[in-house]
Amino acid sequence: MPSQTSSKSAAYFKRAANILPGGVNSPVRACKSVGCEPVFIERAAGSRMWTVDGLELIDYVMSWGPMLLGHADKGVRAAATTALDNGASFGAPCPAEVELGELIRQIMPGMEMLRMVSSGTEATMSAVRLARGYTKRDKVLKFDGCYHGHSDGFLVAAGSGVATLCIPGTPGVPDPIANLTLLAPYNDLGAVEAQFAAHGADIACIIVEPVAGNVGLIPPAPGFLEGLREICTKNGALLIFDEVITGFRVALGGAQARFGVTPDLTTLGKIIGGGFPVGCYGGKREIMEHIAPCGPVYQAGTLSGNPVAMAAGIATLKGLMASDYAALEARTLAFATEMAEILRAKGQSVTLNHLASIFTIFFTNVPVTDYETAKTANSATYGEFYRQMRALGVNLAPSGFECGFTSFAHSDADLKQTLDAARKVKL
Ligand code: KE4
């Protein structure tokens, strides 16, 4: 394998750094926290990717979650290609956006009405604007370490790339806006109750990742989601489930199906585009009818409901409706459990968090239940693990504050090859 400095990836990264801030179009891809340069990907198929230097990688980032069927899924490719043959964008209604919307509602009945957008950030920022317009309140409660995209108010104590890069505060976000965001530790209903005791009449909504995925994976404690539901109902605030990661992944119907808690609004992204730029927000019809042109809360987008992305989303959801979630969950748990044991046998402290087809290896000896405990993980060890695994042909998330994702394309041979690589790592 070419050395890092002489490789085509290194040459691309040098060029990229001259045109793109940090050489990337999204910060976490820069691999800064894991102490190396990113590799540039030429192509991907199934569970694997190939770099511009010909390095083959078993992929556990899967584009940060969207590729649950695997990269370059045959059905998704066919649907997107056919749609593209008929034009890339109309800026006018098209049948596919109705079909995808109806399919989402069929799978997630709590989304009685919905609006397509082009990213998860657009979905969450629009849902919060709607919650503010509907309740006529301004404050929003989010959880330390949760990440809901890069809209101003969400960058307070955010996870994902903000946590990865240890960005303090919210440069560029005016204090009056940042101050409208209230915080509580994840899984801490007492702290949420305290915020409502102090600000209840001003809180428009709680926005929560029903399974936290941007501080690594943190499942909800028993009763946490049910408690948020009760608190919102009692105080007249809306409950927003940010299911950009969990939607169609932790169960076909998402976290709301898996945990039996129905939010007022749900935000989606990632999987519903099958790799194309799509987001969506939706929920109770009575609330959604406040969105223009029905109601006064404005939100718009040139490429919203894009026919190619809609076609890819329809093909993706239809593929998932025919997939065996229970089997993938069992295989992922067995794989992640063995990975943790391999690392413990090397003398490492490891906490494994797993749910469905998502896992995170935390190099710490404490249970990881919130942002504070996630921060006890040894990031230097994770960086060493990441670098050695990539050299051994395994692509893990380039941050300890992200998740590992399997897919329906990951074979038993892929998982075994990955565990064999982990056995070779020296920590
Ligand atoms: P996008 O705007 O990146 O499509 O979605 C924002 C978003 C919203 N909500 C949740 C729960 C999310 O996880 C995300 C985006 N996730 C990150 C990685 N965990 C995207 C990767 C990146 O920023 O490059």
Side-chain angles (χ1 to χ4, degrees), residues 26 28 119-121 147-149 160 209 214 242 244-245 270 402:
S26 197
V28 72
S119 72
T121 294
Y147 179 74
H148 304 289
S160 188
E209 293 181 59
N214 285 288
D242 179 355
V244 167
I245 288 181
K270 298 204 197 265
E402 297 286 355

Side-chain angles (χ1 to χ4, degrees), residues 142 147 149-159 162 167-171 173 181:
K142 73 176 284 288
Y147 179 74
H150 63 87
S151 177
D152 283 354
F154 294 143
L155 293 178
V156 180
V162 179
I167 294 175
T170 54
V173 178
T181 300

Side-chain angles (χ1 to χ4, degrees), residues 77-96:
R77 276 175 28 226
T81 304
T82 302
L84 183 58
D85 288 344
N86 294 323
S89 176
F90 308 139
C94 69

